[in-house]
Structures are given as structure tokens and as C-alpha cells.
Amino acid sequence: MNFEFSDDQKLLREQASRYLADNCPPAAVRTILEGDAAYDAKLWTGVGEMGWTAACIPEEFGGLGLSYVELCVIAEELGRVAAPIPFSSSVYLATEALLMAGSKDQKESWLPKLASGEAIGAFALAETAGRPSVDYLKTCASDNSAETALTGSKIAVADGDVADFAVVVAASDASAPGDGANWYLVELDQPGVARKPIETFDPTRSHAQIEFKGAAAQRLGNAGEGWRLTERLLDRAAVLFAWEQVGGADAALEMAKEYALGRYAFGRAIASYQAIKHKLANAYIKNTLARSNCYYGAWALNADSEELPLAAATARVAAIQACNFAAKENIQTHGGMGFTWEFDCQFYYRRAKLLSVNIGSEAFWQDRLMHAVERRDAA
Amino acid sequence: MDFNDTAAEATFREEARAWLSDNVPSEQELAGMDYVTSAKFWQKRKFDGGWACIRWPKEYGGRGASAIEQVILHQEEARFDTPMNIFTIGQGMAAPTLMTYASDEAKARLLPPMASGEQIWCQLFSEPSSGSDLASLRTRSERGGDDWVINGQKIWTSGAHYSDYGILVTRSDPTVAKHKGLTYFFLDMKSPGVEVRPIKQISGDSNFNEVYFSDVRIPGAQRLGEVGQGWQVALTTLMNERATIGAGYANVNFDVACKLARRIRIDGKPAIEDPAVRAKLANWYVQESGLKFTGYRTLTALSRGEIPGPEHSIGKAVGAAKTQDMASFCVDLLEMAGAISDPELAEMDGLIQMTYMSAPGHRIAGGTDEIMMNILAERVLGLPQEPRMDKGIPFNEVPTGT
């Protein structure tokens, strides 16, 4: 049994943790929360210089060719500090989409720039409220060719306002064979695209609404495989999102613990009351279950195992639950102070919920988990 | 990251598997035996083959194996249908205590028959008014010449009715603070004055007993640790308890609930298609999977020769409540028929109802859910204890409710 990070991976964690302590303190998160900047550009540049954006890109495209376990380590540390950068959109989604489905040309055009952090990518799926499915896609291309024009609109696209391109999920031509969807690679700085930043409950991560009005688009991957690709991409990204959430969950628990030890009521630390102790022990249990499930997810992602859909959904559901619980109970443990703008508890409360809807909600992933179990048992 | 054995572990696993497949008793061999007899039969065979208590030193019947080898043996044994193990309290809790505190003579005399299953041990700790607050126990020990004389009552003693020996914590001095007046012994359960009475549980079973002591004499040589040091000795026993009790028991689990949800119909469709049912099942899957992979992390630490981190202690706190919730949910899925517990008539031979009725015990035995949460909060997160009203007060002046 070797179900643990290697010494090299542990070293990477220490390095990442030190770097982020220096370059992403709470004050940096607050600057983005309170200011006009969409993300922390200095941190983004630094993260690129550290090679984190290049982690899983093959060396031939300017990447480091590390394993996905390394990327999981980085994700956890970014989650721990609630880093205000477009890492998840660009690395877990756009880069992965190109790696999964990009042609040689598409990869050569974008992967080196994604690796250095010079380019930012986004993933555009949602069109309306409610659970994403192939049936609700209205965005579509004018014809079924590889170079085409895209029309439609996408809402709540994470980092859509700052991205250089987006991978867009669109309905395929009704007469074409396949699963009903295509992927398109769309440069966002072009006349056929109108985008505007939208307000969300987590201003430390910017979002946009994007209109495509006959935008020049290249198909990414084969025609009629867009939904299958989307599901596969979501499975892969779910593991990485889950690690970010586990990092955030741990940080929120740590914050609650420190406050409870220092805050006195009725002559003793509130950390000595069972009402607080059991709450925090519960958070510890949820975090531990989530972390162990995330190990499974990391293994399945890295091994490209056929268990990935089940492992990803399990890690994702556990991490959503752990992160939301720790974030809300961190505020509760802080009492009134936790509800003030001045305190940093809000960072995790905002981020936890944002991460839990960004690539599909708890209910969406519970359902995917059960589908994966059903497929496994039917086999 | 991988799930593979090291080369040495793989060799050991093969060796264990080969021995087990040749030696696990057949149904014919066990025919007509009750569970105690068949348990002893299997344990003796393991002992004779060198597969009992393998972590123990050779002189006491073990083979000086590593922790990971013991886990591998358990995993391999779990693949077979073997008699119930009724030796864990002795081998898992009494033995480490004896190894730390008993004389060489006593260890040489007591440990080999414990390993072979010829002698069974029980644990005499809890009392009617001392459960979570174990150190408030009242069973008296007083000197009587070279012996000690014991009077009082213990409760929740698993297996007392078939045990040969017991480990016992007593109050030798009620005039000092509660942790300081305790003394620890082992005793022969056939001693005059020991009376064992089974307790009938809400499940109808009787796994536990009350044990009464009326002027029971214990030779002074059977004291473990110094007079008044019984609490320190008891901690050695208790540190080994969670590892013992967390061990699995056949019950309603995710696969059972899933199987049921496929068969039962809601509005003409299998229950498993109902979103509320799916969400619940998914949550239980996440918990089971989380515990399983937490176990793998513990194994990894053992495999590397490290001491596992605190994460392995969440099992009991999660598992017992989960089992209760799942059993309750499965009863509900059956609707009106959920009430039927007759194994001849009930779904799954009544397993669901049986689990529902036994689940409350698992949330209490070996440390209640609440005590487990205190342990996690205090020992893992480092949070302070609640203030204690009995701290530093002579035991006989501490307020009591009875």
C-alpha cells in the first residue's frame, strides 16, 4: 500500500505553502475583494513563474509534464489561501480541454501560452439557471464545419471577463449524428463577442456574461462529441476543484480553532465548551473523509483509471460538504465578529459556495456518483 | 500513489493466503459446535500453525511480525468464512497491559494460552454509575492479608460468561482524588464470590453481563502496577480499545441499501431513481469510501513503519451513526412492511430490522459518540477539556446523583 504523497510531492507542498504565505496573504485577497481588479495579476505572474500553470502540460508544449498528483498538491495550497487568480478556469478546465481534444495546431497555439500564464482560458457551459444538460444548450454554430460562426449566450462564465479564449459547449446541428453537442474554441477579443463582468457573491473570483454574435469559432474535438467531452472534463476538473475545497476547509477549521482558543466567555475559552468542540470535531471528520476521498480522486485522475467518474464524484461531494460546513461554522464560531466585513471569515464562506456551484452542485454530483455506481454494478 | 504491496508484503500475503486456504475449518469440521467452541477450535489451529497473535514475541506464541503484516493477515482471513473472533478483548487489550505491567512469570504463564484461545479474557471496567466518566468507579478493593478483597459491581462486560480471566480496575482509596485512588488487578473468573448475570438488550440479544463481586479474594501477586496507579494502567488498556472495537461487523451498509433501493418501488419506479433516495445513498457512499481510504492512509503509514496520524480515529464516530441512519432509512423504504422483523417473513431475512435494533449499542459501546467527539477535539485538535467539578476533591466528597 502506497496511498500517500511522495517525498518530492511533500517538498512541492512546502515550497507552495511558503510561496503563498509570502505572496498571497489575506491582505492580497482583500485587495481583490474590495478593489476593481478582476484578479491578482502579480500573483498570477508569480504562479506562472513557479511553473504551476505549466504543471501537467507536456514538455513539447512548454510545460513541465508533472503528474496530476503534483497539480492536486498545488490546488490544495491555492484553496487554503483562497487565491484570487483564474487558476481553476485556465488550468483545470481550459488547459485540460485542449489536452483532451485539441488538434496539434490548437495545442501549439495555446498550450505554451497557458503554460507560462501569458494566456488565460475559460470554460463556458451555463446558459440558464438549473442543472446543466445537453438539452438546454441554445448556443449553436451556423454549420457543422470545423471553422464556423457561433451564436448564443453564456452566463456566469468564471474568468470570462479576463480570459483570452473560451472553450464553449454548444448544441450541434440537429441533423448531425452524435451526442447533441460540440466544443468550440473561441477567442474572446473579437468583434463577434460581447462580454461584461457580472457581480457574484465572491468578488475575489471574477465572472462574466458572454454574448456570441456570429463569433469566429474553431471546433475543438470531433463533431457530436461535445457532451461526452464535457462530462469527461468535469470529472477531471472535479478532482482538482475538490482539492482546492479541502484546502479551504482545512484553513477555515484552523481559523475557527484559533479563534475559539483565544475567545473567552463565562470565564473560559469557548474552545472548552462541548458545543464548540463537537462542532469543530465534526468539521475535522468531514475534512478527513473529504481528504481521503480526494486521495482516491488524485490516484484515479493520475492513473486515468476507469474508476475516475466514481472517484471524482465521491471526492467532489465530500469536498463540497466539508468546505461548506467548515466555512459556515467558522463564521458561527466567531460569533458577531465573523459576520463583519473586517474579518476574513467571509473569504471562505464566499469561496466555498462559489466552488460548489462552479462545475455543478452537490446534488448534480450526488446524481453522477449514483450513475457511476450503477454503471459499476451493471458491469 | 498505488494500492500495491511491497515485494516483502506480497510474499507475506501469499504465504498467509496459502496457509489459510489449507487450514480454514470446513463446515463439517465445525458441525455441532457452538460459537465459543468453534472459535476456540479455529484459534488453536492458527496458534499451532504460527498464525495467532503474530505481532507478539515468539516466546509468547507470536512471531514478532510487523503491524502491516497483521493487517494483511486480517485482510486475507476476512476473505474466508471463519468462526467469530471472541478473543479480541484478551489479545487486543488485556495482553498489551500484561506485557507492560505483569511479571515475567505471569506473562509466560498467561500469554501463550491467551494466544491459543484456550483461555478467554474479559474486561471489568464500567460500572452502573461509571460509564464515560470511568475513573469515578466504586468497586472497592481492600487489603486482606496478602490478598485483596473485592466488593462491588461491574457492567457491560462482554463475554464474562465464557471468560476464564478478567482485568479489573477497583477503588482502593476513596479518600484521595478519583484518579489517584485506583488499583488494577487480573483475576480468575471462577473465583468464589464472582457472579455473572447476563443483560438482556433491546435487540433481545445478551452480549453483555453484569458481574457482581462479594468478598472476592485476589492474590496480591495479581496486582498490575502500583497501588493507586490503576488509572495509568487502565489507560494502557484503553489506548488499545478503539483499535479493537472499530473492527467491522456484518450489517446494513451501502451495498445492502442500494440493493434494496433497486427492488423497492416508489410510484411504479425503482426507489433508486428517486432524487431524495439517490442523494442519501450518495452521502453514505461518500462516508464509506472516505473511511475506506482513510484506512488505506493508515496502512500506508504502517507499511512505511510510521505511526498512523490521528485521522484513523474517526472510524467509530462516523460508522456507528451511519449504520443506524441507513437501517432506519431502509425500514422506511419498506413502508408498512418495514415493521416486520420475523426473519421468515422480512426482506433480507430481517437484517435491516436487526441492525436497526442493535445500532444504538454501537453508538455507545467502547466510548459513546459524544466521548469520541471529545477525544477528537482534545487530542487531535488540541482544544481544552471542560472544567471538572471533581478535580482535586477526595473521591468520597464528590457530589453524586445516586
Side-chain angles (χ1 to χ4, degrees):
Chain A
M1 184 65 60
N2 178 23
F3 200 56
E4 188 50 83
F5 293 111
S6 68
D7 288 344
D8 281 352
Q9 288 153 356
K10 287 179 182 165
L11 208 64
L12 172 68
R13 174 186 307 290
E14 281 168 35
Q15 189 190 34
S17 161
R18 266 199 312 273
Y19 181 82
L20 290 169
D22 292 343
N23 293 280
C24 189
V29 181
R30 185 165 289 274
T31 301
I32 303 304
L33 175 69
E34 295 176 349
D36 294 328
Y39 64 100
D40 186 334
K42 190 162 153 270
L43 179 63
W44 180 247
T45 307
V47 158
E49 285 164 3
M50 295 293 284
W52 297 352
T53 40
C56 293
I57 295 174
E59 290 173 51
E60 57 176 309
F61 298 114
L64 299 178
L66 298 175
S67 87
Y68 283 94
V69 182
E70 271 84 7
L71 190 53
C72 289
V73 168
I74 293 166
E76 183 185 351
E77 295 311 309
L78 289 170
R80 199 181 299 281
V81 297
I85 49 175
F87 198 84
S88 52
S89 297
S90 201
V91 178
Y92 314 155
L93 291 164
T95 299
E96 282 302 305
L98 275 161
L99 287 171
M100 279 168 56
S103 66
K104 191 158 177 294
D105 277 356
Q106 287 166 333
K107 286 181 180 170
E108 278 170 356
S109 307
W110 289 107
L111 286 177
K113 289 187 213 164
L114 285 167
S116 67
E118 183 191 338
I120 294 170
F123 180 67
L125 171 58
E127 299 194 1
T128 180
R131 187 173 295 186
S133 75
V134 73
D135 311 324
Y136 95 170
L137 297 171
K138 291 202 171 63
T139 299
C140 62
S142 55
D143 58 52
N144 217 25
S145 50
E147 305 271 343
T148 183
L150 204 65
T151 302
S153 70
K154 294 286 181 182
I155 56 165
V157 180
D159 306 297
D161 52 336
V162 297
D164 298 278
F165 72 92
V167 173
V168 181
V169 189
S172 62
D173 188 326
S175 63
D179 61 18
N182 288 338
W183 269 9
Y184 291 98
L185 203 155
V186 184
E187 290 193 40
L188 295 176
D189 207 5
Q190 61 159 300
V193 174
R195 47 181 169 163
K196 61 170 190 211
I198 50 174
E199 197 178 316
T200 70
F201 57 68
D202 184 9
T204 65
R205 296 284 292 104
S206 69
H207 283 64
Q209 189 170 325
I210 307 182
E211 299 280 337
F212 302 101
K213 300 167 181 166
Q218 284 180 353
R219 198 180 59 236
L220 185 62
N222 295 329
E225 289 188 1
W227 195 251
R228 186 186 62 79
L229 286 168
T230 299
E231 294 202 277
R232 181 134 188 273
L233 177 67
L234 290 178
D235 283 343
R236 299 179 71 79
V239 174
L240 298 159
F241 270 83
W243 276 103
E244 270 206 31
Q245 290 167 303
V246 163
D250 256 10
L253 170 57
E254 189 61 28
M255 204 177 197
K257 188 180 102 177
E258 288 308 313
Y259 187 79
L261 285 168
R263 171 84 185 188
Y264 275 59
F266 306 102
R268 57 181 165 123
I270 63 168
S272 68
Y273 290 94
Q274 289 191 351
I276 298 291
K277 287 161 76 168
H278 290 192
K279 182 202 296 294
L280 300 189
N282 250 321
Y284 173 79
I285 287 173
K286 285 178 198 294
N287 290 4
T288 302
L289 292 174
R291 177 176 298 279
S292 295
N293 281 319
C294 279
Y295 272 64
Y296 176 42
W299 169 81
L301 174 63
N302 196 47
D304 204 13
S305 162
E306 60 183 20
E307 292 174 47
L308 178 65
L310 180 56
T314 305
R316 171 78 173 153
V317 171
I320 287 174
Q321 292 174 348
C323 195
N324 283 319
F325 184 82
K328 75 187 166 85
E329 297 308 329
N330 179 33
I331 293 185
Q332 188 68 18
T333 303
H334 278 71
M337 299 312 290
F339 189 57
T340 64
W341 187 266
E342 187 191 338
F343 270 57
D344 296 338
C345 303
Q346 54 173 321
F347 297 173
Y348 296 104
Y349 189 69
R350 295 175 189 279
R351 185 63 64 83
K353 200 64 193 169
L354 183 77
L355 288 173
S356 61
V357 292
N358 258 174
I359 54 162
S361 70
E362 181 180 355
F364 173 78
W365 285 99
Q366 284 168 328
D367 190 51
R368 287 184 68 75
L369 190 160
M370 290 306 297
H371 279 299
V373 166
E374 286 164 324
R375 274 196 305 275
R376 180 195 68 183
D377 292 352
Chain B
M1 259 188 215
D2 60 61
F3 300 114
N4 306 329
D5 287 332
T6 64
E9 288 163 7
T11 307
F12 180 82
R13 189 183 294 280
E14 269 175 42
E15 197 193 333
R17 191 177 295 181
W19 186 84
L20 286 164
S21 59
D22 290 345
N23 288 281
V24 167
S26 64
E27 269 181 47
Q28 292 90 315
E29 283 180 286
L30 299 174
M33 294 185 191
D34 64 16
Y35 71 97
V36 175
T37 315
S38 59
K40 287 185 161 199
F41 178 84
W42 173 225
Q43 187 64 28
K44 182 70 168 58
R45 183 173 283 181
K46 284 202 284 186
F47 180 78
D48 292 340
W51 292 95
C53 301
I54 59 169
R55 287 206 71 195
W56 293 11
K58 282 206 176 76
E59 58 196 293
Y60 302 138
R63 54 157 77 183
S66 66
I68 191 73
E69 286 171 336
Q70 169 147 355
V71 170
I72 290 171
L73 176 60
H74 281 170
Q75 287 174 339
E76 291 304 316
E77 190 174 339
R79 299 155 62 98
F80 294 89
D81 194 9
T82 56
M84 189 167 95
N85 185 344
I86 57 172
F87 309 105
T88 48
I89 290 171
Q91 295 170 355
M93 298 169 67
T97 314
L98 288 169
M99 286 189 200
T100 310
Y101 290 100
S103 67
D104 288 344
E105 178 280 318
K107 285 190 274 194
R109 179 164 49 87
L110 297 167
L111 291 171
M114 191 195 287
S116 69
E118 286 158 283
Q119 289 175 354
I120 304 179
W121 288 60
C122 62
Q123 179 210 30
L124 301 150
F125 279 23
S126 294
E127 295 185 8
S129 31
S130 302
S132 296
D133 180 11
L134 177 63
S136 70
L137 61 88
R138 299 175 192 183
T139 293
R140 282 287 279 131
S141 57
E142 291 167 289
R143 286 182 193 273
D146 288 340
D147 294 345
W148 289 78
V149 180
I150 313 296
N151 280 287
Q153 183 197 347
K154 295 290 176 175
I155 197 168
W156 317 127
T157 313
S158 309
H161 51 299
Y162 53 68
S163 287
D164 303 284
Y165 285 93
I167 43 177
L168 172 71
V169 194
T170 63
R171 182 156 309 279
S172 48
D173 185 356
T175 66
V176 295
K178 73 176 179 183
H179 289 103
K180 295 189 172 153
L182 302 177
T183 300
Y184 194 119
F185 302 94
F186 68 89
L187 87 159
D188 184 339
M189 288 298 284
K190 309 292 186 301
S191 306
V194 175
E195 188 195 348
V196 177
R197 294 185 201 164
I199 299 171
K200 187 170 180 183
Q201 299 147 211
I202 64 169
S203 56
D205 298 331
S206 290
N207 303 115
F208 308 113
N209 300 277
E210 295 178 292
V211 181
Y212 290 82
F213 297 86
S214 311
D215 291 327
V216 174
R217 299 188 78 84
I218 299 181
Q222 291 179 202
R223 193 185 73 228
L224 296 175
E226 299 302 313
V227 175
Q229 295 292 307
W231 184 246
Q232 282 70 24
V233 185
L235 286 180
T236 303
T237 313
L238 293 171
M239 276 189 332
N240 289 285
E241 180 166 32
R242 266 168 294 147
T244 310
I245 296 223
Y249 44 93
N251 248 324
V252 171
N253 57 21
F254 175 82
D255 286 336
V256 168
C258 236
K259 207 163 128 191
L260 189 68
R262 284 197 181 101
R263 204 166 62 240
I264 298 299
R265 299 180 87 79
I266 298 176
D267 294 335
K269 287 193 297 191
I272 198 166
E273 291 175 21
D274 180 272
V277 170
R278 293 176 85 73
K280 279 181 187 254
L281 288 173
N283 288 345
W284 287 318
Y285 184 87
V286 163
Q287 288 188 337
E288 277 185 21
S289 166
L291 289 179
K292 172 176 147 188
F293 291 111
T294 301
Y296 283 15
R297 292 169 62 201
T298 304
L299 291 187
T300 302
L302 292 175
S303 174
R304 294 178 179 186
E306 297 162 3
I307 296 167
E311 61 274 356
H312 70 280
S313 58
I314 66 170
K316 181 171 154 34
V318 175
K322 176 177 75 68
T323 301
Q324 186 173 41
D325 289 348
M326 292 190 85
S328 172
F329 165 81
C330 288
V331 169
D332 287 351
L333 265 189
L334 297 167
E335 294 286 345
M336 273 73 99
I340 304 169
S341 61
D342 181 343
E344 301 285 317
L345 300 173
E347 287 277 336
M348 297 182 170
D349 308 326
L351 172 73
I352 292 161
Q353 292 74 15
M354 211 178 351
T355 304
Y356 177 74
M357 291 310 297
S358 64
H362 291 288
R363 291 187 52 202
I364 296 162
T368 62
D369 284 1
E370 290 74 16
I371 287 292
M372 300 316 291
M373 298 300 265
N374 281 353
I375 288 173
L376 287 172
E378 289 165 16
R379 299 201 199 145
V380 178
L381 297 177
L383 306 184
Q385 288 180 339
E386 293 255 355
R388 300 187 168 194
M389 310 309 289
D390 57 3
K391 201 161 193 172
I393 299 174
F395 181 71
N396 56 10
E397 292 170 26
V398 170
T400 60
T402 50

